[in-house]
Amino acid sequence: MFAAQISTQTAIVILVLFGLAWVSFGWWLGRRNRTVDDFMLAGRNVGLALASATAMATWVTSNTTLVAPQLTYQFGVWGMVGYSMAALGLILFAPMAKRIKALMPKGFTCGDFIRVRYGRGAWYVFLVVSFCYAMGWLISLGMAGGILLHSLSGLDYHVGMTVILAICVGYTLLGGLKAVIATDFIQTLIILCGVLFIGYVCWQDVGLTRIYETVSQEQPQLLNLLFPAAIMFLFNNIFFGIGEIFHSNVWWSRAFAFREGIGKKAYLISGLLWLPIPIVTGFIALAAPALNIYPPSPDMVGPLVAAKLLGSVGAVFVFIVVFSALASSLDSLLAATSDLLTEDIYRGILKPGASNEHLFKVGKWVILGLGLLTWVLCLPRMTTLGELLNFTGAFVASTIWPIVFGLYRPRLGGLYAGLAMLLGTLLGLIAFVQIGFYVAALTSCLVSLVVCLFGLALYNEEFNWERLQRMEK
Amino acid sequence: MAPKSPFYFNNVAKMLLVCAFLVQSPFVIGAPAENLIASAQKVSEGFITLSWKDLGDGSVTLQVGRDREFDQVMRSLQLTGQDQVHLSGFEDGVYFARLLSDTGASLSNTVRFDVEHRSLRSASLLFSIGAALFGSLVVTLFRFTRSDS
């Protein structure tokens, strides 16, 4: 047991109370879901406040509350700043959300777009990329749940991970996207207040001078602005964040679900609100040596510092904040990945004639299956959260350019879009293994751009945008 | 010559086994056990995980120094209930680490790890490529969005 923790019993009580609250809320919200549109896209009628909150809460995740402190602890100032630059993904996606809604008013998933725009070859590559990323993120969230509970209460990693997964699967299953968005709104309020409060206490109790002096004495490289690995990491993280948002059905499904004219504003507001959060969560990691905290694993540094600062009562508060952050992402990802599998794999490949009523039922089974698969893959705690997430960077960054050109330019063909994603991912993974996790996304994005530019130069046919309006099969 | 008794062969076999154990075992008499392990011997990002085993949940002191004799102790960390620690922010150099008990008695072997950060030139090159790529993306999106509206 570490110095500042809550008791295992308290942790279990909070888990049970939160679990019951979220699952009941999910059931209450989902009781009127009748169609696949209701379940998958919340009736396509989400307003600005809920839209901004869900986008922000989904992006505040284990990444922000556990990995931002980890990367600050490992890469110092650049780790903190680089992480906050992931907000650029939301900001740059804002105009694209408007375009997506205009091009595909009846669209369901990002897979629909790739299939109609680029054809089946590129679509298959995209589905593999997207599924690998979604599983990586799901596993990281499940792991984060276990790590959080273990850090704060000493509860066994496997028990914590299992309970958090079960709760999120429960309410997503009962309420669909409507429940995800509504719980996200409440979770956003908890996260914002919590993170600001912890940052304030850290600044007041430890103080900038003490933090600076201890870090410069014990971890001097963290304050070095010419820290080579951190410099490499900066743009890598930016492209990772942009790739995550541009390609993932989590963000596309929201673009479809938001009311007409809302998407652009909502993504812009959420990006600007999100920007300072990793700075705050990262900053507290720099206080670790001043508080004599030396974590067993780098992804535990955030909760350990926060718990020490706030004492055992405060640890309960930290627990609730991080739990909210985890749940808000886990539910979104479960819902969006289930949509992708149901709509693209099941209806697109396995059963093209499936009715909407049938898909409604299949969607629920897919959420359950995804939850189970995530649980199995989380059992062996394979790596740290930061490394796992950055591994998926090689996949997602390869999709940035094919999606940008695909949305705005009619000339890029499916062959080149597919090759851009395939070669980008492969070379990104090679860079991941040969150099380090902090160059995978950058390499992948660069290779993908080069292939797309070749494609634009060599391919002469023009895509007819009306095919997207009609959602051709 | 009289044949050797089974008892004789039994004793020889036992002695051979003991010798083999002494050669293989890290628990050499007079030296601490090899129970402290570094996650890597060469580190290029300035962070490392040190783990240990068989020391229970009690308190230990981890010392990190610049020489094998620990004349220059850089960090001396009191750790309770942990069996590993992740340390970061090291500058280029050779480092040594060991575990001590509360009374100062040695609890582990001494591990060495070398920190050699990647060259600033290659990092700057990647940074420049990243900046150019990001600039291109922003300009491209801006132009596309403007022509779209």
Side-chain angles (χ1 to χ4, degrees), chain A residues 2 73-74 88 95 99 218-221 226-228 231 234-235 239 294-296 401 408-409 435 438 449, chain B residues 45 47 75 77 82 84-86 88-91 117-118 120 123 126-127 130-131 133-134 137 144-145 148:
Chain A
F2 305 103
Y73 189 73
Q74 291 179 319
L88 291 171
R99 173 92 176 154
E218 291 197 19
Q219 299 167 298
Q221 196 65 23
L226 297 176
F227 180 172
I231 289 175
L234 182 74
F235 278 104
F239 287 113
Y294 301 97
W401 291 102
Y408 291 96
R409 282 291 170 268
I435 304 172
Y438 39 82
L449 172 63
Chain B
E45 292 87 16
F47 51 78
R75 304 189 195 182
L77 321 175
Q82 294 183 216
Q84 65 175 46
V85 66
H86 186 82
S88 62
F90 287 104
E91 292 177 317
H117 286 277
R118 294 184 189 282
L120 194 56
L126 274 172
F127 183 87
L133 199 55
F134 179 69
L137 180 65
F144 284 177
T145 311
D148 178 40

Side-chain angles (χ1 to χ4, degrees), chain A residues 49-177:
Chain A
L50 282 177
S52 310
T54 187
M56 196 199 122
T58 304
W59 207 218
V60 179
T61 161
S62 61
N63 306 8
T64 327
T65 48
L66 300 178
V67 182
Q70 167 182 347
L71 292 172
T72 309
Y73 189 73
Q74 291 179 319
F75 292 124
V77 177
W78 280 127
M80 185 165 70
V81 173
Y83 205 91
S84 73
M85 291 294 119
L88 291 171
L90 286 171
I91 293 167
L92 294 178
F93 191 69
M96 289 167 63
K98 185 182 168 195
R99 173 92 176 154
I100 289 165
K101 183 92 177 173
L103 281 178
M104 306 168 65
K106 292 174 192 160
F108 273 100
T109 67
C110 51
D112 284 340
F113 168 76
I114 298 287
R115 180 177 46 78
V116 178
R117 174 67 185 83
Y118 288 129
R120 290 209 163 229
W123 181 52
Y124 291 137
V125 178
F126 178 81
L127 286 180
V128 172
V129 165
S130 199
F131 189 69
C132 287
Y133 163 74
M135 285 318 296
W137 195 9
L138 274 172
I139 295 165
S140 80
L141 291 169
M143 277 173 59
I147 291 168
L148 164 74
L149 281 171
H150 180 64
S151 310
L152 293 178
S153 70
L155 191 69
D156 180 59
Y157 161 80
H158 297 100
V159 176
M161 179 270 291
T162 306
V163 175
I164 286 189
L165 268 178
I167 292 170
C168 291
V169 169
Y171 74 79
T172 310
L173 198 60
L174 290 167
L177 191 63

Side-chain angles (χ1 to χ4, degrees), chain A residues 34-52:
Chain A
R34 293 287 177 271
T35 66
V36 75
D37 253 22
D38 289 341
F39 188 70
M40 283 187 177
L41 299 173
R44 298 183 193 262
N45 195 30
V46 180
L48 185 63
L50 282 177
S52 310

Side-chain angles (χ1 to χ4, degrees), chain A residues 184-213:
Chain A
D184 278 0
F185 185 75
I186 300 168
Q187 285 156 354
T188 300
L189 297 176
I190 297 173
I191 294 162
L192 267 180
C193 297
V195 165
L196 285 175
F197 178 66
I198 294 165
Y200 176 77
V201 172
C202 184
W203 175 52
Q204 281 292 304
D205 287 8
V206 188
L208 288 177
T209 313
R210 196 170 140 212
I211 291 174
Y212 174 77
E213 281 171 0

Side-chain angles (χ1 to χ4, degrees), chain A residues 176-325:
Chain A
L177 191 63
K178 212 179 275 180
V180 169
I181 289 175
T183 48
D184 278 0
F185 185 75
I186 300 168
Q187 285 156 354
T188 300
L189 297 176
I190 297 173
I191 294 162
L192 267 180
C193 297
V195 165
L196 285 175
F197 178 66
I198 294 165
Y200 176 77
V201 172
C202 184
W203 175 52
Q204 281 292 304
D205 287 8
V206 188
L208 288 177
T209 313
R210 196 170 140 212
I211 291 174
Y212 174 77
E213 281 171 0
T214 329
V215 172
S216 39
Q217 191 187 336
E218 291 197 19
Q219 299 167 298
Q221 196 65 23
L222 299 190
L223 299 176
N224 181 6
L225 293 181
L226 297 176
F227 180 172
I231 289 175
M232 291 176 174
F233 163 78
L234 182 74
F235 278 104
N236 186 75
N237 198 61
I238 291 176
F239 287 113
F240 178 34
I242 293 173
E244 278 183 287
I245 290 184
F246 279 21
H247 99 286
S248 173
N249 198 45
V250 170
W251 311 101
W252 282 66
S253 64
R254 279 161 174 70
F256 295 130
F258 297 164
R259 198 180 298 152
E260 192 71 43
I262 293 292
K264 187 176 176 181
K265 284 182 209 156
Y267 278 111
L268 207 55
I269 292 170
S270 58
L272 293 172
L273 282 174
W274 189 88
L275 188 78
I277 292 179
I279 302 277
V280 181
T281 54
F283 163 72
I284 66 166
L286 292 176
L291 294 165
N292 286 321
I293 289 174
Y294 301 97
S297 170
D299 40 19
M300 290 167 80
V301 69
L304 287 176
V305 171
K308 177 119 183 188
L309 279 170
L310 301 176
S312 53
V313 177
V316 175
F317 178 68
V318 174
F319 177 78
I320 292 169
V321 170
V322 185
F323 179 74
S324 302

Side-chain angles (χ1 to χ4, degrees), chain A residues 295-297, chain B residues 33-40 48-55 60 62 79 82-87 97-99 107-111 113:
Chain A
S297 170
Chain B
E34 295 274 341
N35 53 356
L36 181 62
I37 300 159
S39 58
I48 191 164
T49 300
L50 298 169
S51 57
W52 53 95
K53 53 193 174 187
D54 305 330
L55 292 179
V60 292
L62 177 79
L79 305 168
Q82 294 183 216
D83 56 7
Q84 65 175 46
V85 66
H86 186 82
L87 300 172
R98 68 177 176 185
L99 290 167
L107 292 174
S108 75
N109 53 308
T110 298
V111 291
F113 57 95

